[in-house]
């Protein structure tokens, strides 16, 4: 058995929080300000995106200095905020509404308070899980493989069972990885195991979407509109309660379904064996 480096909880820089929704204070611009190219480069975006944001009104126009259009610290702060909100899944229309509300006196942190309820981890890791890291060579030894095809490795990364971290791969649960390796060493093909994982992921996502959409209708009647500030805390707490409920319910239902399927499989197989033996004796 390969030795895997076990570690504590995921690093704090991988967790989302409301505090991180607003970008850090921008650096001071040079005398006069930044050009459009300089501003886009500093924010890590393209000039095309910057101009599109400007046209939609989410970035204020530059200051005209002769023939030059220059941008200051406030522009960079706003641009970083827009980009971060986009990364969180907000549409430009929603961002416009957020900014308009903020400019009229409402706090952006209050308005996107739902972000914490939606994206913050409920725990550092799944109950009982032990995170760790493993090398490519260790993976091959664990799974009893002479080589690890790149396509299979990419599939495992895409499914987020492995996360590249320098020369190693981070795994969310070492015990789950070791269990999978045991199945492969026992004769189950790694491609088949990944197929099962992908099918399970698809079915679980559909189930989760269905459950949460049904429950969400009873919680949030605002549709695509941003809830009023006085309702944000209530809705955020209800979403957290939903997430705490759905996690154990889905796990319990998965266990029940697996137990039922295994019992049925071997009950049917035993019945066929008994019938075959009986037929042979009668023949």
């Amino acid at each position: 058995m390969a030795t895997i480096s076990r570690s504590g909880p995921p690093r704090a820089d991988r967790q989302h929080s409301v505090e991180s929704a607003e970008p850090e204070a921008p650096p001071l611009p040079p005398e006069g300000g930044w050009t459009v190219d300089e501003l886009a480069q500093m924010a890590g975006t393209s000039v095309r995106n910057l101009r599109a944001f400007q046209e939609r009104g989410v970035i204020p126009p530059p200051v005209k200095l002769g023939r030059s259009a220059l941008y200051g610290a406030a522009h960079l702060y706003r641009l970083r905020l827009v980009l971060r909100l986009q990364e969180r899944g907000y549409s430009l229309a929603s961002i416009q509404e957020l900014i308009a509300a903020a400019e009229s006196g409402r706090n952006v942190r209050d308005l996107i308070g739902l972000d914490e309820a939606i994206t913050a981890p409920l725990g550092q890791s799944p109950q009982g899980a032990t995170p760790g890291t493993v090398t490519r060579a260790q993976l091959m030894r664990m799974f009893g493989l002479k080589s690890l095809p790149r396509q299979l490795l990419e599939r495992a990364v895409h499914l987020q069972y492995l996360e590249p971290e320098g020369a190693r791969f981070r795994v969310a649960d070492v015990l789950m990885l070791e269990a999978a390796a045991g199945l492969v060493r026992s004769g189950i093909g790694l491609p088949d195991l990944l197929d099962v994982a992908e099918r399970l992921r698809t079915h679980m996502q559909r189930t989760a979407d269905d459950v949460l959409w049904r429950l969400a209708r009873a919680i949030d009647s605002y549709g695509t509109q941003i809830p009023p500030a006085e309702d944000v805390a209530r809705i955020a707490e209800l979403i957290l309660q939903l997430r705490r409920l759905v996690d154990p319910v889905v796990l319990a239902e998965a266990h029940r379904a697996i137990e039922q399927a295994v019992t049925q499989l071997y009950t049917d197989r035993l019945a066929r064996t008994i019938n075959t033996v009986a037929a042979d004796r009668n023949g």
Side-chain angles (χ1 to χ4, degrees):
M1 178 69 65
T3 302
I4 301 174
S5 298
R6 289 167 169 78
S7 62
R11 292 176 307 220
D13 60 1
R14 296 183 184 227
Q15 300 176 10
H16 297 293
S17 69
V18 175
E19 290 299 317
S20 66
E22 293 195 24
E24 65 277 4
L28 294 176
E31 186 176 353
W34 295 295
T35 65
V36 65
D37 294 298
E38 291 170 337
L39 180 66
Q41 184 176 6
M42 290 191 68
T45 189
S46 66
V47 172
R48 182 178 179 180
N49 281 343
L50 174 53
R51 296 196 190 281
F53 295 154
Q54 234 173 261
E55 290 173 4
R56 293 294 295 270
V58 294
I59 302 293
V63 175
K64 295 290 186 178
L65 189 61
R67 293 186 177 182
S68 301
L70 299 175
Y71 299 83
H75 293 96
L76 179 59
Y77 182 88
R78 174 70 62 82
L79 180 55
R80 285 178 172 173
L81 175 61
V82 170
L83 291 170
R84 190 164 298 185
L85 290 172
Q86 274 196 325
E87 289 176 358
R88 297 284 182 89
Y90 292 92
S91 67
L92 270 181
S94 297
I95 293 172
Q96 281 180 297
E97 188 175 348
L98 284 169
I99 289 173
E103 289 177 342
S104 67
R106 291 172 66 183
N107 192 324
V108 174
R109 278 197 177 94
D110 293 338
L111 288 169
I112 61 175
L114 293 178
D115 181 75
E116 182 176 48
I118 295 168
T119 64
L122 289 180
Q124 296 292 350
S125 59
Q127 186 175 5
T130 304
T133 61
V134 61
T135 66
R136 187 186 184 106
Q138 287 173 328
L139 283 172
M140 288 190 291
R141 288 195 294 272
M142 286 179 66
F143 283 83
L145 301 172
K146 293 181 179 179
S147 65
L148 187 57
R150 188 170 124 190
Q151 183 181 9
L152 295 181
L153 192 59
E154 288 176 348
R155 287 180 68 188
V157 170
H158 177 72
L159 287 165
Q160 297 177 329
Y161 293 125
L162 298 176
E163 180 184 355
E165 192 172 85
R168 305 179 71 89
F169 295 94
R170 176 166 291 276
V171 293
D173 188 353
V174 170
L175 294 180
M176 185 175 73
L177 183 68
E178 290 174 346
L183 289 174
V184 172
R185 292 196 307 271
S186 297
I188 295 178
L190 183 52
D192 290 334
L193 199 59
L194 290 171
D195 286 343
V196 169
E198 287 180 342
R199 288 172 64 83
L200 182 60
R201 177 75 57 85
T202 299
H203 289 308
M204 291 299 292
Q205 187 62 57
R206 288 174 181 166
T207 300
D209 289 343
D210 179 60
V211 170
L212 289 178
W213 274 114
R214 290 173 188 273
L215 296 177
R217 285 200 294 268
I219 290 178
D220 181 3
S221 60
Y222 300 100
T224 58
Q225 302 300 313
I226 295 173
E230 60 270 18
D231 284 358
V232 166
R234 176 185 66 84
I235 294 173
E237 178 57 30
L238 288 172
I239 289 175
L240 282 172
Q241 290 178 18
L242 264 182
R243 294 181 64 198
R244 294 187 185 111
L245 168 68
V246 169
D247 186 44
V249 167
V250 168
L251 185 60
E253 286 300 314
H255 284 169
R256 182 200 61 79
I258 289 293
E259 286 180 10
Q260 182 175 326
V262 168
T263 301
Q264 189 65 45
L265 172 65
Y266 284 97
T267 299
D268 290 347
R269 182 166 295 178
L270 180 60
R272 287 199 304 271
T273 302
I274 292 172
N275 290 338
T276 300
V277 171
D280 290 343
R281 285 178 178 175
N282 294 333

